[in-house]
Amino acid sequence: MGKRIGLLGGTFDPVHIGHLRSALEVADALALDELRLTPNARPPHRDTPQVSAQQRLEMVRLAVAGIPPLVVDDRELKRDKPSYTVDTLELMRAELAADDQLFLLLGWDAFCGLPSWHRWEELLQHCHILVLQRPDADSEPPDALRNLLAARSVSDPLALTGPNGNIAFVWQTPLAVSATQIRQLLASGKSVRFLVPDAVLAYIDAHGLYRASN
Protein backbone atom coordinates (compact mmCIF):
# COMPACT_ATOMS: atom_id res chain seq x y z
CA MET A 1 0.00 0.00 0.00
CA GLY A 2 1.46 3.34 -1.06
CA LYS A 3 1.58 6.55 0.92
CA ARG A 4 -1.22 9.09 0.91
CA ILE A 5 0.11 12.63 0.51
CA GLY A 6 -1.99 15.80 0.55
CA LEU A 7 -1.06 19.22 -0.82
CA LEU A 8 -2.60 22.49 0.34
CA GLY A 9 -1.17 25.55 -1.37
CA GLY A 10 -1.83 29.17 -0.55
CA THR A 11 -0.30 32.55 0.12
CA PHE A 12 -0.75 32.02 3.89
CA ASP A 13 -0.60 35.80 4.36
CA PRO A 14 -0.78 34.97 7.28
CA VAL A 15 -1.55 31.32 8.00
CA HIS A 16 -4.53 31.09 10.37
CA ILE A 17 -6.70 28.63 12.27
CA GLY A 18 -9.07 28.25 9.29
CA HIS A 19 -6.25 26.86 7.13
CA LEU A 20 -5.01 24.59 9.89
CA ARG A 21 -8.36 23.24 11.04
CA SER A 22 -9.43 22.50 7.48
CA ALA A 23 -6.13 20.75 6.75
CA LEU A 24 -6.28 18.66 9.90
CA GLU A 25 -9.89 17.59 9.24
CA VAL A 26 -9.01 16.38 5.73
CA ALA A 27 -5.86 14.63 6.94
CA ASP A 28 -7.88 12.78 9.59
CA ALA A 29 -10.84 11.96 7.34
CA LEU A 30 -8.64 10.52 4.59
CA ALA A 31 -5.97 9.03 6.86
CA LEU A 32 -3.24 10.96 5.07
CA ASP A 33 0.35 10.06 5.91
CA GLU A 34 1.36 13.65 5.25
CA LEU A 35 -0.36 16.92 4.38
CA ARG A 36 2.04 19.46 2.93
CA LEU A 37 1.27 23.15 3.31
CA THR A 38 2.97 24.84 0.37
CA PRO A 39 3.31 28.63 0.47
CA ASN A 40 3.17 30.31 -2.96
CA ALA A 41 6.06 32.56 -3.96
CA ARG A 42 4.40 34.67 -6.65
CA PRO A 43 0.78 33.54 -6.82
CA PRO A 44 -0.48 34.00 -10.41
CA HIS A 45 -4.07 34.77 -9.36
CA ARG A 46 -3.55 37.13 -6.44
CA ASP A 47 -1.91 40.39 -5.48
CA THR A 48 1.65 40.22 -4.21
CA PRO A 49 1.60 39.37 -0.48
CA GLN A 50 2.31 42.15 1.99
CA VAL A 51 5.16 40.40 3.78
CA SER A 52 8.17 38.55 2.43
CA ALA A 53 8.05 34.96 1.24
CA GLN A 54 10.52 34.01 3.96
CA GLN A 55 8.29 35.50 6.67
CA ARG A 56 5.21 33.69 5.37
CA LEU A 57 7.18 30.44 5.27
CA GLU A 58 8.42 30.93 8.83
CA MET A 59 4.86 31.54 10.07
CA VAL A 60 3.66 28.30 8.46
CA ARG A 61 6.59 26.41 9.98
CA LEU A 62 5.72 27.77 13.41
CA ALA A 63 2.03 26.93 12.91
CA VAL A 64 2.53 23.24 12.05
CA ALA A 65 5.45 22.47 14.36
CA GLY A 66 4.68 19.32 16.32
CA ILE A 67 1.31 18.72 14.58
CA PRO A 68 1.66 15.61 12.43
CA PRO A 69 0.78 14.88 9.70
CA LEU A 70 0.99 18.59 8.79
CA VAL A 71 4.35 19.59 7.31
CA VAL A 72 5.75 22.48 5.27
CA ASP A 73 6.93 22.17 1.67
CA ASP A 74 8.92 25.22 0.57
CA ARG A 75 9.69 24.24 -3.04
CA GLU A 76 7.56 27.00 -4.59
CA LEU A 77 9.56 29.64 -2.72
CA LYS A 78 12.76 28.34 -4.30
CA ARG A 79 11.49 28.98 -7.83
CA ASP A 80 12.17 32.25 -9.59
CA LYS A 81 8.89 32.22 -11.48
CA PRO A 82 5.15 32.17 -10.76
CA SER A 83 3.87 29.33 -8.56
CA TYR A 84 2.05 27.11 -11.03
CA THR A 85 0.40 24.18 -9.26
CA VAL A 86 0.91 21.82 -12.19
CA ASP A 87 4.70 22.32 -11.93
CA THR A 88 4.63 21.58 -8.20
CA LEU A 89 2.55 18.43 -8.71
CA GLU A 90 4.85 17.25 -11.49
CA LEU A 91 7.89 17.60 -9.26
CA MET A 92 6.16 15.91 -6.30
CA ARG A 93 4.94 13.03 -8.42
CA ALA A 94 8.47 12.42 -9.71
CA GLU A 95 9.65 12.01 -6.10
CA LEU A 96 6.91 9.58 -5.08
CA ALA A 97 6.53 5.85 -5.61
CA ALA A 98 4.26 4.71 -8.44
CA ASP A 99 1.52 3.58 -6.03
CA ASP A 100 1.61 6.65 -3.78
CA GLN A 101 -1.58 8.72 -3.87
CA LEU A 102 -1.28 12.50 -4.23
CA PHE A 103 -4.26 14.68 -3.26
CA LEU A 104 -4.60 18.35 -4.20
CA LEU A 105 -6.89 20.23 -1.79
CA LEU A 106 -8.89 23.09 -3.32
CA GLY A 107 -11.66 25.27 -1.97
CA TRP A 108 -14.85 25.49 -4.05
CA ASP A 109 -14.01 28.93 -5.43
CA ALA A 110 -10.52 27.85 -6.46
CA PHE A 111 -11.93 24.71 -8.07
CA CYS A 112 -14.44 26.73 -10.09
CA GLY A 113 -11.56 28.91 -11.28
CA LEU A 114 -9.50 25.96 -12.56
CA PRO A 115 -10.10 26.70 -16.27
CA SER A 116 -8.01 29.87 -15.84
CA TRP A 117 -5.06 27.93 -14.37
CA HIS A 118 -1.87 27.17 -16.27
CA ARG A 119 -2.13 23.72 -17.98
CA TRP A 120 -5.11 22.91 -15.78
CA GLU A 121 -6.19 19.96 -17.93
CA GLU A 122 -3.01 18.14 -16.84
CA LEU A 123 -3.58 18.36 -13.08
CA LEU A 124 -5.34 15.00 -12.82
CA GLN A 125 -2.42 13.29 -14.53
CA HIS A 126 -0.50 13.84 -11.33
CA CYS A 127 -3.05 13.80 -8.49
CA HIS A 128 -6.59 13.36 -7.26
CA ILE A 129 -8.42 16.60 -6.50
CA LEU A 130 -10.27 17.03 -3.20
CA VAL A 131 -12.75 19.90 -3.32
CA LEU A 132 -13.44 21.36 0.11
CA GLN A 133 -17.14 22.07 -0.23
CA ARG A 134 -19.09 24.22 2.18
CA PRO A 135 -22.65 23.10 2.93
CA ASP A 136 -23.86 26.57 1.88
CA ALA A 137 -22.05 26.69 -1.48
CA ASP A 138 -24.80 26.89 -4.07
CA SER A 139 -22.90 28.23 -7.09
CA GLU A 140 -22.69 26.07 -10.19
CA PRO A 141 -19.33 25.01 -11.64
CA PRO A 142 -18.45 26.55 -15.02
CA ASP A 143 -19.32 24.62 -18.17
CA ALA A 144 -15.66 23.74 -18.73
CA LEU A 145 -15.72 21.67 -15.53
CA ARG A 146 -19.05 19.90 -15.93
CA ASN A 147 -17.81 17.25 -18.35
CA LEU A 148 -14.75 16.71 -16.21
CA LEU A 149 -16.90 16.23 -13.11
CA ALA A 150 -19.20 13.85 -14.96
CA ALA A 151 -16.26 11.73 -16.07
CA ARG A 152 -13.97 11.90 -13.05
CA SER A 153 -16.11 12.51 -9.95
CA VAL A 154 -16.17 9.89 -7.18
CA SER A 155 -18.87 10.29 -4.52
CA ASP A 156 -16.84 8.94 -1.58
CA PRO A 157 -13.36 10.43 -1.08
CA LEU A 158 -12.32 7.26 0.73
CA ALA A 159 -13.12 5.29 -2.45
CA LEU A 160 -10.46 7.09 -4.50
CA THR A 161 -8.14 4.41 -5.88
CA GLY A 162 -4.91 4.58 -7.83
CA PRO A 163 -2.32 7.34 -7.67
CA ASN A 164 -4.28 10.04 -9.51
CA GLY A 165 -7.10 10.89 -11.91
CA ASN A 166 -10.29 11.56 -9.93
CA ILE A 167 -12.21 14.29 -8.09
CA ALA A 168 -14.08 13.97 -4.81
CA PHE A 169 -15.87 16.43 -2.55
CA VAL A 170 -15.06 16.72 1.14
CA TRP A 171 -17.83 18.47 3.09
CA GLN A 172 -16.58 20.95 5.64
CA THR A 173 -17.95 23.72 7.79
CA PRO A 174 -15.07 26.18 7.57
CA LEU A 175 -14.29 28.60 10.34
CA ALA A 176 -15.39 32.14 9.54
CA VAL A 177 -11.90 33.62 9.49
CA SER A 178 -9.86 35.00 6.61
CA ALA A 179 -6.35 36.33 6.10
CA THR A 180 -7.85 39.57 4.78
CA GLN A 181 -9.80 40.03 8.02
CA ILE A 182 -6.67 39.32 10.08
CA ARG A 183 -4.58 41.82 8.12
CA GLN A 184 -7.29 44.47 8.56
CA LEU A 185 -7.47 43.89 12.32
CA LEU A 186 -3.70 44.13 12.67
CA ALA A 187 -3.53 47.28 10.51
CA SER A 188 -6.05 48.94 12.83
CA GLY A 189 -4.16 47.88 15.94
CA LYS A 190 -6.68 45.24 17.08
CA SER A 191 -5.95 41.81 18.53
CA VAL A 192 -5.96 38.65 16.40
CA ARG A 193 -5.49 36.32 19.36
CA PHE A 194 -7.15 32.91 18.79
CA LEU A 195 -7.44 33.62 15.03
CA VAL A 196 -3.84 32.52 14.50
CA PRO A 197 -1.72 30.08 16.54
CA ASP A 198 0.08 31.68 19.48
CA ALA A 199 3.49 31.07 17.89
CA VAL A 200 2.38 32.87 14.72
CA LEU A 201 0.99 35.78 16.74
CA ALA A 202 4.28 36.08 18.61
CA TYR A 203 6.16 36.16 15.29
CA ILE A 204 3.82 38.83 13.85
CA ASP A 205 4.27 40.96 16.97
CA ALA A 206 8.04 40.49 17.11
CA HIS A 207 8.45 41.59 13.49
CA GLY A 208 5.72 44.23 13.45
CA LEU A 209 4.00 42.58 10.48
CA TYR A 210 0.83 43.95 8.90
CA ARG A 211 0.86 47.05 11.05
CA ALA A 212 -0.33 50.34 9.56
CA SER A 213 3.23 51.65 9.33
CA ASN A 214 4.20 48.84 6.90
Side-chain angles (χ1 to χ4, degrees):
M1 187 68 181
K3 285 187 177 176
R4 297 162 66 81
I5 309 290
L7 168 65
L8 177 64
T11 45
F12 301 119
D13 186 29
V15 64
H16 56 69
I17 59 167
H19 297 131
L20 300 168
R21 182 64 211 164
S22 183
L24 208 51
E25 280 184 15
V26 172
D28 284 349
L30 274 87
L32 299 183
D33 295 293
E34 201 171 81
L35 203 167
R36 302 179 183 180
L37 276 67
T38 308
N40 306 141
R42 289 162 52 197
H45 297 279
R46 309 187 70 144
D47 294 335
T48 302
Q50 288 189 13
V51 303
S52 73
Q54 196 57 44
Q55 288 171 325
R56 290 185 291 114
L57 173 64
E58 190 56 36
M59 286 189 281
V60 178
R61 282 192 172 135
L62 289 167
V64 304
I67 310 176
L70 305 186
V71 296
V72 182
D73 189 312
D74 66 355
R75 73 184 66 220
E76 293 197 354
L77 299 181
K78 295 175 179 174
R79 268 191 241 147
D80 187 28
K81 60 178 184 177
S83 302
Y84 292 125
T85 300
V86 67
D87 295 335
T88 300
L89 291 169
E90 219 165 21
L91 290 167
M92 282 188 179
R93 175 50 69 194
E95 297 164 3
L96 298 175
D99 62 345
D100 287 346
Q101 290 184 299
L102 186 54
F103 301 91
L104 173 63
L105 280 63
L106 294 177
W108 175 247
D109 291 342
F111 177 70
C112 287
L114 275 189
S116 68
W117 287 28
H118 182 62
R119 291 164 50 206
W120 73 277
E121 300 98 330
E122 300 173 34
L123 294 173
L124 288 174
Q125 294 174 20
H126 309 293
C127 68
H128 296 296
I129 292 177
L130 296 176
V131 184
L132 310 183
Q133 175 73 299
R134 302 167 184 244
D136 59 353
D138 55 1
S139 55
E140 288 291 316
D143 290 340
L145 288 177
R146 284 186 189 165
N147 289 341
L148 185 68
L149 280 169
R152 301 296 189 97
S153 191
V154 172
S155 58
D156 179 3
L158 292 173
L160 290 168
T161 58
N164 55 274
N166 292 109
I167 301 168
F169 289 82
V170 179
W171 291 90
Q172 290 199 312
T173 305
L175 299 172
V177 53
S178 73
T180 302
Q181 168 198 16
I182 289 168
R183 292 195 301 269
Q184 289 170 345
L185 286 168
L186 287 166
S188 60
K190 296 187 171 69
S191 172
V192 295
R193 187 123 195 242
F194 307 124
L195 295 176
V196 299
D198 287 347
V200 172
L201 179 57
Y203 185 90
I204 288 170
D205 287 343
H207 294 82
L209 304 184
Y210 307 109
R211 302 302 180 190
S213 57
N214 278 8

